[in-house]
Amino acid sequence: MASPTLVTPTSKLKPLLPIKARATQTPPSPPPHQQPLRRQFLCLAAAAAATTTASLALGGVQSAFAASDEEYVKETAEVINKVRSTINMDKNDPNIASAVAELREASNSWVAKYRREKALLGRASFRDMYSALNAISGHYISFGPTAPIPAKRKARILEEMDTAEKALSRGR
């Protein structure tokens, strides 16, 4: 006797049952108190966009984080001096760990402040400073704050500091 699940030439085919569509439910409508909040938000967003556009068209207002050129030159020169003094410290100096911590804090704040300034990204001084600070941070992160910087890396960092300082003096 044939198994009821197998289809054989001698078995009778069962008629297919018609597929019934399930009743779909419509998604519940949002509560009535959300609509006014959404409208208020859209109205406020449109007003803010209009105000911003109008102020830019009238005055060309710069962003609050934009730094002046004099401030950039001054802060970059301070970071250069801090880098030189920290790198040239004796490896047996007891204050080297605190000096490295201060240097990392200064370099992180300098990078955070100026890396988003599109006007500064093309400058030679910014490029060289960023490269040198990246090399210093990478060294101290990998080897610790008391590890001396190898002579070849130290020479490259000091050379980048010199070129950055020259570029700053030339307004680049």
Side-chain angles (χ1 to χ4, degrees):
M1 183 170 168
S3 170
T5 57
L6 292 176
V7 177
T8 60
T10 59
S11 64
K12 288 186 175 180
L13 294 176
K14 294 181 182 178
L16 294 175
L17 298 174
I19 299 175
K20 294 181 182 177
R22 291 185 186 175
T24 58
Q25 295 179 348
T26 58
S29 61
H33 69 279
Q34 284 185 349
Q35 295 236 337
L37 292 177
R38 196 175 302 144
R39 285 188 192 125
Q40 286 175 345
F41 172 75
L42 290 174
C43 289
L44 287 174
T51 305
T52 304
T53 306
S55 67
L56 288 175
L58 293 176
V61 179
Q62 293 182 351
S63 68
F65 300 111
S68 66
D69 193 45
E70 296 86 24
E71 185 180 0
Y72 169 75
V73 170
K74 182 180 137 242
E75 289 184 6
T76 304
E78 289 173 3
V79 173
I80 288 173
N81 292 333
K82 193 168 285 213
V83 165
R84 284 187 179 144
S85 65
T86 304
I87 285 182
N88 291 326
M89 288 179 88
D90 186 32
K91 69 178 182 178
N92 296 325
D93 192 343
N95 299 327
I96 195 159
S98 62
V100 168
E102 289 176 16
L103 174 63
R104 289 195 57 210
E105 184 178 327
S107 66
N108 286 343
S109 64
W110 185 89
V111 168
K113 185 172 185 177
Y114 295 115
R115 83 170 142 210
R116 291 193 179 121
E117 294 289 330
K118 294 191 188 284
L120 300 176
L121 293 179
R123 286 185 167 196
S125 62
F126 178 82
R127 181 190 65 233
D128 290 336
M129 278 297 296
Y130 192 87
S131 175
L133 292 176
N134 191 24
I136 293 168
S137 293
H139 172 79
Y140 287 129
I141 286 172
S142 297
F143 302 108
T146 57
I149 296 179
K152 190 174 180 180
R153 185 176 297 152
K154 183 177 180 180
R156 192 194 86 190
I157 290 169
L158 290 174
E159 181 183 338
E160 286 178 341
M161 290 292 137
D162 291 338
T163 57
E165 199 168 40
K166 286 177 189 173
L168 272 180
S169 68
R170 295 176 183 157
R172 298 182 186 167

